[in-house]
Amino acid sequence: FPSHDIWTAYYTSKTTQYGIFKSAYGNGIHVVVEPLSGNHLTSPNGEDWTVRTVSLNGNCTGLYFCNGIFVAFYSFGSSSYVHTSTDGINWTQRLSTTFSPTSVAFGGGIYVATAAGSNRYLTSTDGVTWTERTFPSQNFGFVAFGGSVFVSVGGDGVSYTSTDGINWTSRASYSGYKPLFIVTGKQKSK
């Protein structure tokens, strides 16, 4: 979008009763997921949409674009799946696991995918082969990357950092709230 100050609502007959659940943009294409049908809608411009019937199992728990690929997480019963796509249209299942990843970040040559409230997470250097790892806390949270460091906040009241996505250090304790998301960004200079 050229300006973040002006928003225009676009309605399309392509959407269903389920609405829109997850969205990501990359490689010149917008991708959104309907929560119950699992259908994807794609658009090159945010105005003209095409429904894509995809055969990804279960409920979408996360959809992201990082380092040139889309990464989608789907959960069905006691199994969860990692899918990737370079064009947002054709998807390949990469891994089946027993926990439900909900966020992914890329930095320093590695993808890190986490599941809120779990002590398990995934790493990958190419987005194709994923390795399941164990985190030191049961309440590993959402993950972000910025300033050459991964950051995760856990429901146990501790934040964690890692420079390689594998070795984690507890940093700050907090109490009174459970963070749901974390973001990183560059501070604007005055």
Side-chain angles (χ1 to χ4, degrees):
F1 295 98
S3 171
H4 299 292
D5 298 336
I6 302 169
W7 290 84
T8 303
Y10 287 98
Y11 299 95
T12 175
S13 61
K14 306 288 187 195
T15 60
T16 69
Q17 64 184 352
Y18 305 121
I20 302 300
F21 184 58
K22 303 285 184 184
S23 66
Y25 175 80
N27 289 346
I29 191 164
H30 299 269
V31 179
V32 296
V33 177
E34 296 175 326
L36 299 178
S37 73
N39 286 337
H40 291 191
L41 284 82
T42 61
S43 172
N45 56 19
E47 296 178 32
D48 304 307
W49 295 90
T50 302
V51 175
R52 309 286 180 180
T53 303
V54 293
S55 58
L56 306 182
N57 293 328
N59 181 41
C60 182
T61 59
L63 175 65
Y64 297 87
F65 181 84
C66 47
N67 192 43
I69 65 171
F70 291 94
V71 180
F73 304 116
Y74 278 79
S75 179
F76 184 75
S78 61
S79 296
S80 293
Y81 306 91
V82 178
H83 302 272
T84 62
S85 173
T86 56
D87 62 8
I89 298 168
N90 300 295
W91 294 85
T92 302
Q93 181 179 315
R94 300 299 182 184
L95 178 73
S96 174
T97 186
T98 57
F99 72 102
S100 298
T102 51
S103 81
V104 65
F106 179 84
I110 190 167
Y111 295 89
V112 175
T114 62
S118 175
N119 72 331
R120 293 183 291 166
Y121 69 105
L122 303 170
T123 60
S124 175
T125 56
D126 59 8
V128 174
T129 303
W130 294 81
T131 302
E132 188 171 321
R133 301 186 183 278
T134 303
F135 188 69
S137 167
Q138 179 61 33
N139 291 308
F140 202 32
F142 284 85
V143 66
F145 182 84
S148 72
V149 68
F150 289 96
V151 179
S152 178
V153 289
D156 59 358
V158 179
S159 61
Y160 301 88
T161 61
S162 173
T163 56
D164 62 7
I166 297 170
N167 300 295
W168 295 86
T169 303
S170 62
R171 293 294 178 187
S173 293
Y174 49 87
S175 61
Y177 64 94
K178 291 184 179 181
L180 297 176
F181 300 98
I182 186 168
V183 296
T184 61
K186 186 174 182 179
Q187 184 176 357
K188 186 175 180 178
S189 301
K190 293 186 178 189

